[in-house]
Amino acid sequence: MNADDPLLKILACPLDKGPLVLLEPDEVLLDEAAEAAEAAPAPEQSLYNPRLHRRYPIVDGIPQLLPSSGEQVTEDEHERLLKRTST
């Protein structure tokens, strides 16, 4: 999925029905993960709801938008994600 994908305009958070933000894998985290474990799979893209601080994975190009698929992020992680999406 890419940022210009028209599907992003119609996808919504299953909890508050609001828009989601596409997150690319964090390059810094990828470098740290590669050093920590060579066999670890690369993180996938995800969709983020900044209002509820919830992240939903995209697995094999398919957004996993069930409420149970989302994960709550910490306040620190939320701030970091907001900085990434504002650039």
Side-chain angles (χ1 to χ4, degrees), residues 20-38:
L20 298 166
V21 177
L22 179 66
L23 297 174
E24 296 293 338
D26 191 349
E27 293 175 10
V28 173
L29 291 178
L30 287 176
D31 291 341
E32 291 173 2
E35 292 174 7
E38 293 178 16

Side-chain angles (χ1 to χ4, degrees), residues 33-46:
E35 292 174 7
E38 293 178 16
E44 301 268 345
Q45 292 177 316
S46 59

Side-chain angles (χ1 to χ4, degrees), residues 57-85:
I58 299 175
V59 179
D60 295 327
I62 301 170
Q64 308 296 305
L65 293 176
L66 293 172
S68 61
S69 297
E71 67 174 343
Q72 197 72 31
V73 301
T74 64
E75 189 63 36
D76 291 338
E77 178 75 358
H78 170 72
E79 294 299 325
R80 190 180 68 77
L81 293 173
L82 286 182
K83 288 178 186 173
R84 282 179 54 197
T85 59

